[in-house]
Amino acid sequence: MAQSDVDVVVVGAGFAGMYLLHELRKTGFSYRVLEAGDDVGGTWYWNRYPGARCDVSTTDYQYTWDPELHEQWQWSEKHAAQPEILRYAQFVAKKHDLYSDIEFKVRVNGAQWNEKTKRWSIHTSTGEKISCQHYVMATGCLSVPKEPDIAGTEKFTGNVYVTGRWPHEGVDFTGKRVAVIGTGSSGIQSIPHIADQAKELVVFQRTPNFSMPAFNGPAPQYRVERLKADRATYEREARYSGTGVPMEDSTVSALSVTQEEAFAMLEAAWQKGELLSLGNTFMDSAINRKANDVVAEFMRMKVRSVVKDPEVAELLSPYKHGYGTKRPCMDTGYFETFNKPHVRLVDLNAQPIRSITETGIDFGNESKDFDAIVYATGFDAMTGAIVNVDIAGKDGVTLKDKWENGPLTYLGLTSVGFPNLYMITGPGSPSVLSNMMVSIEQHVDWIRDTLVHMRDNGFETIEPTPLAEEGWRVHCTDCADITIFQEANSWYMGANVPGKPRVMFPYIGGVGRYRMACEEVVAKGYLGFELASGAKKQCNDGLVREVQPDVDMVLDFISTLNLPAMETMSPAEARAFSEASSAMRPSGPEVGEITDGVLQGADGNLEYRLYRPATPGPHPIAVYFHGGGWVFGSHTSDDPLCRDLCAQSNTLIVSVNYRHAPEAPFPAAAEDGFAALKWVHKNAAALGGIPEKIAVAGWSAGGNVAAVTAQMARDKGGPQLSGQLLLCPVTDGSQQHASHRENGERFILTKSLMEWFWDHYATPEQRKNPQASPLLAASLAELPPTMLVTCQFDPLRDEGNAYARALMQAGVEVEHVEARGHIHTSITMVDMLPSGAPHRREMAQALKGFFN
Ligand code: NAP
C-alpha cells in the first residue's frame, strides 16, 4: 500500500522524473512518483509519429549522472529515433529499478497548499489524496497538444491523428489520401514518411520553416573523441555553454564578412549536420536582423537548390521570421518530398481552410476528400502542463490566475505564493532553448540539494520573495529584449495558442549563465528566497542579476583577459592601450560625411572631426567632448557614438580634441571646451551648420567639459546654447559619492581609475572650482535644457544624479534618464551592446528636441 503522506510528490516519469526519483531515493526522502502514461519516457513515450527523432546528437542527449550508462548503452545513430530513445529510458528505468516506484496511468487533477500544515494536498485521477511537503512538476514543456483551432474538426469521419499522441501500434497510410496540417518539427519530420506510403499527400502550410538535413549516421567523430579523451571536461563545458552542447562561441559578425564568405562558413556548419552549430556560426544572428538575414538567405538558397518547382520552393522559404526565432528543424528528405508527383503543398495564406468537413477539407475555393488527417499543430508549450492542473497556493490563488498575463517565476523553478512547489525546466529557465538533458539534470540537482539543505537545517518551507521574482522577470525580459525573438509569432512567445499571453517563455540568456545565477543564489544563502520553519526564518532578499545581460557578458569577457589596470600605467601607455581597444570595436552607422579639421582652442589649434548627416543641410550643431578622464581619447575616440548621434538626430557633430592632462592640466580642458564652442559658433555657416541651433554634448570627462562649457557660455555672454547632452558626466571632484564605493570595482571605470584621472587633471584645491566640478557652481539657473543620462552601475552615478536634481531645482528643463543595468561605458558601445540602443535613441531624440 503506497503511503498517502510523503516528503515529495513528483509528477511525470520522463527523463526529469526518472532522475529525480533516483536522487530522492539516494538521499532518503519518501516520495510518490505519478505518471499519466503507462511507461517511462515522457515526450518520447507520447511522440511516436513516423520519423520522430532527436535534433541533438546522442553524444549530448543522454544522462550524465550514471557513468556506467556510457559503457552499457550504445547508441546506433547520431540523431536517435524515438523508439531507441524510449528503449534507453526503459533501460535506465530497469537498471535502476525505477519501475517499482512509479505509479503509471495516474494523473494529478488538483493540488492545494495548506498554510496551516505547510503541506501540499495532491488529488489524483484515482481519487486519492496525497499529502506532501514538496511538490515537483516534472511534466515536460511540450506535453499538452494544442487544441486544433480549426473549424469543423469534430465533423471528419475519417481517421484523425495528432503527432503528439500517436497510436502505439503505428499507422499504415498505404494507398490513402492524407492531409497533414502543420509544418513545425513534427510535421517536417513525419511528412517524408507519410509521403512514402500515401497514395496522395496534401501538406497544409501556414508558415514555412527553416530546416536543415540531419545527415544522420554515426555520432560525430570529433565529439566521440573528445568524450573518450576527457568526459568530465566535455560535460562541464556543456553545462556552462550557451545551449547545453559544448561549442565555441562565434566571435564573427555576419555583417563583417562578404556574403560569399558568410555562405562558406554556413556551408561548413551545414555539412556538420548539427542544428546548433548552424545557429552558432555568427555572433549576431540572434540579435541583429540584418545579420540574421544572411543566415536566412543561405537557408532559402538551400531550399531553392532542392525543390524543383520554383513556386513551391518560394512557398517553402521563410521570409517573415528570422532564422532561429521559431524553432528551426532538422529533417531527412523534407524538401525533396515536394518534388514527388503525389505530394502537394497548400499555402494557407492564399487558400485558408474554411472548414474540416465529414469527408475532407474545404479550403480556398476547393473541397478535397481525405482518408486521414494528421494534425501536426503543436503544443500548449511550457505552461500548458502546469496550469492545466488546478494548483492553488497561498490564499487559494491558482497558478493559472497568477499567470494570466504571463508566467512569473523565480529562476523558472519556483513561484511566489506557491511554497515548496518546483517546476523542472519551467518558464523562465533555458529549458526548450537548450539541450534538455543538461537542463533537466541541473534542475533535479538543484531541487535535490535544496531539499537536503532544508532538511539538514530544519526548514519546512521555501518560497521566493516578490522582489526576487520581479527581478528575475525583468532580467528575463532584458535578455529577450536584446534579441529579435520577439518579432516572431512562435510558441516560444506563446503566439501559437489563441489567448495565451505574448511573452518570451524560456530564458534566453544561455544555459551556462543561467546555471551560474542558480549557483550564486545558493552560495548567497538562497538569495531571494525565504526559508522558514515556524518562527525561524531566513531570508537574504535581493536580486541575482541586475546588470544588463549583454553588458554582463562583456564584463565577463574582459575579466578573462586579465588586463592590467589602467591606473598602473603611465599616461602614454594608457593612451596606447585605449587606442588599441578602440581599433577593435564596430565602427557605428554610416553618416553623410566625415571630415577632419583644425579649430582655434584656448591656447593654439585643436583637431576636430565633423560628422555630417546624409540629409541636406544646413544642420543644427552639437559640439561634442569625448571621454577618457581628461588624460586620453581624442576627437576620433568616440567615433561610433558620434556617428550614431549624428545619424539618429540629424545633427552635425563636431568632436573636439581638447588638450589632455597631465601635460595640460586643469583648467586647459575647460578653456578649450569654451574656445571650441565659440569657434564652431563663429564658423557654423561655413561648416554647414545653423549658428542659432547649437548645443554641447559629452560623455564622462567630456560630459564634464560640456557642462562646464555650458556654464561658461552662460556666464561669458554666449554663445546662446539650445541644450546640453551629458552622458555619465563627472560633476563633482570635491567628495566621494556613495556610488564611487558601490560601483567602484567591477564595472570598467573603477574608483581607483577615477582617482588616477583626477590626480592627473586637478589638485584637491582645484577640484572645488566649478570649472572642474560644475555641481559646485553658485547657481545653475539659466542653463540650457538638459538631457542627462546616468547609469546604475557607474561610480559617477550619484554625482550625475545630483547634477540633474540641482539643475531641476534651479529651474532648468531637465530630462534625466537613469539607465538601469548599465555601466559607465556601455551606452557608448554602439553595435556591440544592443541594450544601450534605447538610451542612444533617447539621447538623439533629446538633441533633436533642443533644436525644435
Ligand atoms: P510547432 O512547431 O508549434 O508547429 C506547429 C505547426 O502547425 C506550425 O507550422 C503551425 O503554423 C501549424 N499550425 C498550428 N495551428 C494551426 C492552424 N490552426 N492552422 C494551420 N496551421 C496551424 O509544433 P511541433 O512541430 O509539434 O513542434 C513543437 C516543438 O516540439 C518543436 O519546436 C520542438 O521544440 C519540439 N520537437 C522536437 C523535435 C526534435 O527534437 N526532433 C521533434 C518534434 C518536436 P504557424 O507556424 O503558422 O503557427
Side-chain angles (χ1 to χ4, degrees):
M1 182 67 187
Q3 271 178 270
S4 58
D5 195 329
V6 287
D7 295 327
V8 191
V9 164
V10 180
V11 188
F15 283 120
M18 288 168 64
Y19 176 36
L20 183 57
L21 159 55
H22 182 268
E23 295 305 288
L24 292 174
R25 205 186 255 169
K26 199 172 80 182
T27 43
F29 288 97
S30 60
Y31 52 80
R32 298 275 298 269
V33 180
L34 314 175
E35 163 60 51
D38 62 9
D39 203 343
V40 294
T43 198
W44 302 105
Y45 168 88
W46 297 105
N47 285 272
R48 296 172 191 238
Y49 61 83
R53 274 181 198 280
C54 185
D55 288 343
V56 176
S57 165
T58 43
T59 44
D60 301 274
Y61 193 81
Q62 55 179 337
Y63 280 139
T64 65
W65 54 269
D66 175 6
E68 284 177 9
L69 287 172
H70 306 313
E71 307 304 322
Q72 293 166 345
W73 181 268
Q74 296 305 319
W75 294 100
S76 69
E77 300 180 277
K78 176 170 72 167
H79 297 293
Q82 173 271 331
E84 188 174 15
I85 304 175
L86 183 57
R87 280 201 302 279
Y88 174 75
Q90 291 163 337
F91 178 83
V92 176
K94 276 187 207 132
K95 176 181 174 200
H96 289 282
D97 185 29
L98 303 180
Y99 278 116
S100 61
D101 273 341
I102 302 172
E103 296 163 61
F104 292 103
K105 295 189 170 179
V106 181
R107 285 185 174 277
V108 171
N109 292 337
Q112 272 104 43
W113 174 252
N114 186 325
E115 185 59 15
K116 281 205 191 102
T117 60
K118 308 285 183 201
R119 294 181 78 79
W120 283 96
S121 174
I122 312 291
H123 307 245
T124 73
S125 53
T126 56
E128 205 186 344
K129 270 192 192 171
I130 308 169
S131 165
C132 60
Q133 188 186 354
H134 303 280
Y135 172 31
V136 185
M137 302 285 284
T139 38
C141 297
L142 295 156
S143 43
V144 177
K146 177 185 101 132
E147 290 295 322
D149 43 346
I150 300 173
T153 44
E154 70 294 346
K155 291 187 200 153
F156 187 62
T157 53
N159 292 322
V160 173
Y161 304 101
V162 177
T163 47
R165 290 286 178 272
W166 204 257
H168 288 200
E169 62 283 8
V171 181
D172 184 2
F173 290 106
T174 308
K176 300 275 194 294
R177 296 161 304 166
V178 185
V180 176
I181 304 177
T183 51
S185 291
S186 306
I188 281 177
Q189 287 190 331
S190 58
I191 282 165
H193 291 264
I194 297 172
D196 279 348
Q197 293 183 336
K199 183 170 80 178
E200 187 189 354
L201 171 64
V202 181
V203 175
F204 290 88
Q205 170 189 278
R206 188 162 69 184
T207 310
N209 232 322
F210 293 104
S211 185
M212 70 177 284
F215 293 118
N216 209 13
Q221 197 51 32
Y222 78 106
R223 293 197 182 275
V224 173
E225 276 164 20
R226 281 206 57 202
L227 277 163
K228 265 194 200 145
D230 185 355
R231 179 171 286 277
T233 301
Y234 187 94
E235 288 174 353
R236 189 181 154 75
E237 267 181 41
R239 290 176 190 136
Y240 289 93
S241 67
T243 56
V245 176
M247 206 166 289
E248 223 171 275
D249 288 333
S250 171
T251 51
V252 180
S253 161
L255 303 175
S256 67
V257 290
T258 63
Q259 196 197 52
E260 206 181 357
E261 289 165 335
F263 278 24
M265 290 168 73
L266 288 162
E267 183 63 35
W270 173 277
Q271 292 301 337
K272 261 187 173 174
E274 292 186 349
L275 191 63
L276 295 169
S277 293
L278 192 79
N280 200 41
T281 308
F282 298 112
M283 62 188 266
D284 47 0
S285 56
I287 55 174
N288 182 315
R289 186 71 205 215
K290 279 194 191 138
N292 191 288
D293 281 345
V294 176
V295 185
E297 184 47 31
F298 173 82
M299 298 299 282
R300 291 190 286 261
M301 178 271 289
K302 286 289 186 186
V303 177
R304 289 193 288 271
S305 73
V306 173
V307 180
K308 291 186 183 140
D309 181 335
E311 271 180 38
V312 177
E314 198 56 13
L315 288 178
L316 287 166
S317 299
Y319 285 95
K320 290 193 180 146
H321 66 279
Y323 178 80
T325 59
K326 288 177 100 136
R327 166 71 146 72
C329 308
M330 277 205 128
D331 69 89
T332 306
Y334 174 66
F335 293 110
E336 289 83 346
T337 302
F338 294 91
N339 291 332
K340 295 187 174 177
H342 69 295
V343 178
R344 175 180 168 194
L345 180 70
V346 170
D347 171 18
L348 290 177
N349 300 297
Q351 292 183 283
I353 294 178
R354 284 179 281 119
S355 179
I356 309 279
T357 64
E358 278 188 9
T359 56
I361 302 180
D362 289 351
F363 60 99
N365 51 14
E366 291 184 52
S367 292
K368 223 173 150 19
D369 287 349
F370 292 104
D371 301 308
I373 298 179
V374 175
Y375 290 100
T377 42
F379 298 89
D380 183 353
M382 298 210 71
T383 50
I386 302 175
V387 298
N388 281 355
V389 175
D390 186 20
I391 302 174
K394 282 178 169 174
D395 304 320
V397 174
T398 65
L399 207 48
K400 192 174 185 168
D401 286 344
K402 179 181 169 187
W403 286 5
E404 197 185 352
N405 297 318
L408 293 169
T409 71
Y410 184 38
L411 305 175
L413 271 162
T414 59
S415 193
V416 172
F418 298 82
N420 297 5
L421 169 74
Y422 313 83
M423 292 156 278
I424 296 185
T425 62
S429 75
S431 183
V432 293
L433 292 176
S434 70
N435 173 4
M436 288 300 267
M437 281 296 200
V438 169
S439 292
I440 282 171
E441 288 192 350
Q442 187 227 339
H443 271 186
V444 170
D445 291 346
W446 194 94
I447 293 169
R448 175 204 59 214
D449 293 347
T450 299
L451 265 48
V452 169
H453 173 84
M454 290 171 69
R455 183 177 61 190
D456 290 353
N457 293 280
F459 288 116
E460 237 178 339
T461 58
I462 182 167
E463 187 187 349
T465 68
L467 177 75
E469 183 173 271
E470 173 58 10
W472 190 250
R473 184 194 67 75
V474 169
H475 174 59
C476 290
T477 309
D478 285 344
C479 291
D481 278 351
I482 58 176
T483 72
I484 57 169
F485 273 65
Q486 302 184 70
E487 295 171 13
N489 287 323
S490 65
W491 61 257
Y492 296 146
M493 297 292 303
N496 65 329
V497 176
K500 211 168 165 174
R502 192 183 167 93
V503 292
M504 184 72 179
F505 282 71
Y507 173 76
I508 197 170
V511 165
R513 305 189 75 78
Y514 170 78
R515 177 183 286 263
M516 286 190 276
C518 292
E519 288 169 349
E520 199 178 313
V521 163
V522 174
K524 290 185 172 163
Y526 283 89
L527 176 68
F529 282 106
E530 182 180 281
L531 290 97
S533 185
K536 173 178 155 180
K537 283 195 177 22
Q538 173 197 307
C539 181
N540 177 16
D541 204 358
L543 306 176
V544 64
R545 285 289 172 270
E546 287 189 89
V547 175
Q548 289 290 337
D550 49 357
V551 176
D552 217 20
M553 274 185 236
V554 166
L555 289 173
D556 282 354
F557 174 71
I558 290 175
S559 73
T560 64
L561 301 177
N562 283 323
L563 298 171
M566 278 174 115
E567 62 272 27
T568 62
M569 301 179 190
S570 69
E573 287 165 340
R575 285 169 193 158
F577 180 84
S578 150
E579 271 171 38
S581 324
S582 294
M584 291 188 297
R585 51 189 187 176
S587 60
E590 289 295 316
V591 296
E593 185 191 31
I594 295 179
T595 53
D596 290 340
V598 179
L599 56 76
Q600 183 63 51
D603 183 27
N605 284 344
L606 303 174
E607 294 163 291
Y608 71 83
R609 175 163 281 190
L610 183 146
Y611 303 82
R612 192 185 310 286
T615 53
H619 297 99
I621 311 175
V623 182
Y624 179 86
F625 303 103
H626 65 83
W630 307 282
V631 176
F632 53 79
S634 73
H635 55 308
T636 65
S637 62
D638 291 359
D639 214 68
L641 180 66
C642 290
R643 284 165 174 265
D644 195 76
L645 280 175
C646 169
Q648 289 208 60
S649 68
N650 204 31
T651 300
L652 199 143
I653 309 285
V654 181
S655 172
V656 180
N657 194 13
Y658 53 88
R659 282 170 298 159
H660 294 135
E663 296 84 346
F666 176 82
E671 288 176 347
D672 277 350
F674 183 53
L677 171 67
K678 282 197 298 188
W679 186 89
V680 172
H681 179 251
K682 199 167 128 204
N683 294 279
L687 294 171
I690 307 168
E692 303 76 40
K693 293 190 174 185
I694 193 160
V696 289
W699 164 55
S700 188
N704 169 278
V705 175
V708 171
T709 298
Q711 293 190 9
M712 289 166 90
R714 176 197 63 179
D715 299 340
K716 298 187 175 195
Q720 175 81 32
L721 289 176
S722 305
Q724 55 175 342
L725 166 62
L726 310 176
L727 172 60
C728 305
V730 186
T731 70
D732 182 14
S734 71
Q735 57 165 315
Q736 293 282 336
H737 292 258
S739 56
H740 288 220
R741 283 186 305 281
E742 278 171 34
N743 300 326
E745 297 218 333
R746 207 174 85 79
F747 306 112
I748 300 184
L749 176 63
T750 59
K751 179 171 178 287
S752 48
L753 179 58
M754 196 58 227
E755 280 161 7
W756 184 84
F757 286 141
W758 270 120
D759 289 345
H760 284 300
Y761 183 54
T763 64
E765 202 45 42
Q766 289 169 330
R767 294 175 205 180
K768 294 178 194 156
N769 185 321
Q771 286 184 12
S773 298
L775 181 64
L776 306 185
S779 163
L780 298 180
E782 285 169 43
L783 282 167
T786 302
M787 165 60 143
L788 200 148
V789 181
T790 51
C791 291
Q792 186 181 1
F793 294 102
D794 183 357
L796 305 183
R797 179 196 65 205
D798 290 353
E799 60 192 82
N801 289 346
Y803 199 55
R805 278 195 304 273
L807 285 165
M808 284 182 220
Q809 277 159 12
V812 176
E813 203 182 301
V814 179
E815 184 181 351
H816 179 198
V817 171
E818 294 178 81
R820 183 177 52 74
H822 278 281
I823 64 172
H824 185 70
T825 46
S826 50
I827 290 175
T828 68
M829 295 166 94
V830 178
D831 288 344
M832 275 179 77
L833 297 180
S835 63
H839 300 307
R840 287 191 295 274
R841 266 197 301 279
E842 287 171 314
M843 296 195 311
Q845 277 308 110
L847 258 187
K848 272 184 167 174
F850 292 158
F851 305 121
N852 289 333

